[in-house]
Amino acid sequence: MAESDEAGGEAAAMEEALRSEGVRLTRQRRAILQVLAEAADHPDAPELHRRVQEADDTVSLATVYRTLSVLETKGVVQRHAFEGAPARFETADAPHHDHIIDLDSREVIEFTSPEIERLQKEIARKHGYDVVSHRLELYCRKRR
Amino acid sequence: MAESDEAGGEAAAMEEALRSEGVRLTRQRRAILQVLAEAADHPDAPELHRRVQEADDTVSLATVYRTLSVLETKGVVQRHAFEGAPARFETADAPHHDHIIDLDSREVIEFTSPEIERLQKEIARKHGYDVVSHRLELYCRKRR
DNA sequence: GTTTGTATTGCAACTCATTCGCAACTGCAG
DNA sequence: CTGCAGTTGCGAATGAGTTGCAATACAAAC
């Protein structure tokens, strides 16, 4: 069970990070962290809620939203608001990356491009700005 | 009055485009097109509504939304949903471009980068995809 | 011009994702 | 163990945008 082992480790690491930030660890938050650590995809809040309830059906959707906000401000998860859809979440353990969204399956593929990052900084500087954050999404269809 | 002249011409061009698409031109739509043509910024729907009402206070917000949808599907305006804010609109007369969003003033600056476009296509192809559309936004602060 | 059939409008009610108020509960520092 | 500030569940509220419906107004045909 390599996957759940890793997920367990990841969840533990996130708990540690939160504890050191003074965030209280409740039963609900542990359950949510666990589900997030296990998720290989980019679930939205209701889907996360569904999965969490399989382990603990006392967790409310409001708490899922509230917890996601806390986790986001603590840098433990990332929120992505893709076009025309509710926000989706992923753990922030992987280094920065951008996304390809499959328009047919809604599947999300991650990619990085140091070259694009460099160009972005360059463009911003040319306009007198520093990049604080950016969003790059490619809405795609399978090539055939 | 170079600006309003241009705006007049742009509004007329949009009307023409719509007429040829079989879109009925109402008083309300003309007023909205006029305001859009005059806008140098990227207003959101309520702001557009405010401006339209200065010329014709019978136009409702619902009609502004409905008209924007029509204009978008006809390719006459572009909708941009920047992070944490209602959608903003601009006429689709200019060629494709991406955006820098000033986090302090909320001002929007347009830019293009053929180089980034090229890299995007390349990355998508590498993953077996064709890019249908994309979104690239740089959230920035003035450099100092 | 007048008629006419359909597209469009204004209004208010509705949706959807997300947030909030509040009383009850519970981690966890002491 | 206690105490209490941080959390939770519930349902109500929010904000952006959409929609049903009856009234209206384009614009094509007379």
Side-chain angles (χ1 to χ4, degrees):
Chain A
M1 260 179 228
E3 185 179 299
S4 64
D5 280 0
E6 275 182 54
E10 200 190 333
M14 291 194 283
E15 286 188 16
E16 188 44 46
L18 292 171
R19 188 177 287 112
S20 74
E21 291 260 18
V23 174
R24 205 174 274 187
L25 280 172
T26 63
R27 180 171 40 81
Q28 294 86 333
R29 286 179 177 172
R30 267 186 251 268
I32 293 166
L33 286 171
Q34 187 59 42
V35 170
L36 277 167
E38 283 167 0
D41 53 351
H42 297 65
D44 58 19
E47 171 61 22
L48 222 34
H49 181 226
R50 231 166 280 128
R51 295 184 196 176
V52 168
Q53 289 208 313
E54 281 172 25
D56 179 347
D57 66 358
T58 72
V59 180
S60 74
L61 180 56
T63 291
V64 170
Y65 276 112
R66 277 188 286 230
T67 300
L68 286 169
S69 293
V70 172
L71 300 184
E72 191 188 7
T73 62
K74 295 305 178 188
V76 169
V77 310
Q78 291 244 307
R79 172 192 307 256
H80 302 293
F82 299 132
E83 280 179 2
R88 298 170 68 168
F89 302 83
E90 66 174 315
T91 56
D93 53 330
H96 166 76
H97 53 256
D98 295 304
H99 300 92
I100 289 173
I101 295 92
D102 184 317
L103 288 167
D104 299 312
S105 70
R106 288 271 120 195
E107 185 193 355
V108 172
I109 294 125
E110 304 176 354
F111 71 88
T112 50
S113 172
E115 187 69 359
I116 289 182
E117 305 279 319
R118 192 181 61 67
L119 289 165
Q120 288 178 1
K121 283 200 195 74
E122 197 178 288
I123 289 162
R125 184 174 307 121
K126 209 169 294 176
H127 287 269
Y129 282 99
D130 282 326
V131 178
V132 173
S133 69
H134 74 258
R135 164 151 93 168
L136 171 55
E137 293 154 11
L138 307 182
Y139 295 86
C140 298
R141 287 230 149 74
K142 278 236 162 65
R143 180 179 181 63
R144 33 168 303 130
Chain B
M1 263 178 228
E3 185 179 300
S4 64
D5 280 0
E6 273 182 54
E10 202 190 332
M14 291 194 283
E15 287 189 16
E16 188 44 47
L18 292 171
R19 188 177 287 113
S20 75
E21 290 260 16
V23 174
R24 210 174 269 187
L25 281 173
T26 64
R27 180 171 41 80
Q28 294 84 334
R29 286 179 178 172
R30 265 184 254 267
I32 293 167
L33 287 170
Q34 186 60 42
V35 171
L36 277 168
E38 283 167 0
D41 52 350
H42 297 64
D44 59 17
E47 172 59 23
L48 223 35
H49 182 225
R50 232 167 281 129
R51 295 185 197 178
V52 168
Q53 288 207 313
E54 282 173 25
D56 179 346
D57 66 356
T58 72
V59 180
S60 73
L61 181 56
T63 291
V64 170
Y65 276 115
R66 275 190 287 230
T67 299
L68 286 170
S69 292
V70 171
L71 300 185
E72 191 188 7
T73 60
K74 296 305 180 187
V76 168
V77 309
Q78 293 245 306
R79 172 191 310 254
H80 302 294
F82 300 131
E83 279 179 4
R88 298 170 67 169
F89 302 84
E90 65 173 317
T91 56
D93 53 330
H96 167 77
H97 54 256
D98 295 304
H99 300 92
I100 289 173
I101 295 92
D102 184 318
L103 288 167
D104 299 310
S105 70
R106 288 270 122 195
E107 185 193 355
V108 172
I109 293 126
E110 305 176 352
F111 71 88
T112 50
S113 172
E115 187 69 358
I116 289 182
E117 304 279 320
R118 194 180 61 66
L119 289 165
Q120 288 178 359
K121 285 200 194 74
E122 198 179 286
I123 288 162
R125 184 173 307 121
K126 209 170 292 177
H127 286 269
Y129 283 99
D130 282 326
V131 179
V132 173
S133 68
H134 74 259
R135 165 151 92 169
L136 170 55
E137 293 154 12
L138 307 182
Y139 295 87
C140 298
R141 286 229 150 76
K142 277 233 160 67
R143 178 179 183 63
R144 33 170 302 130

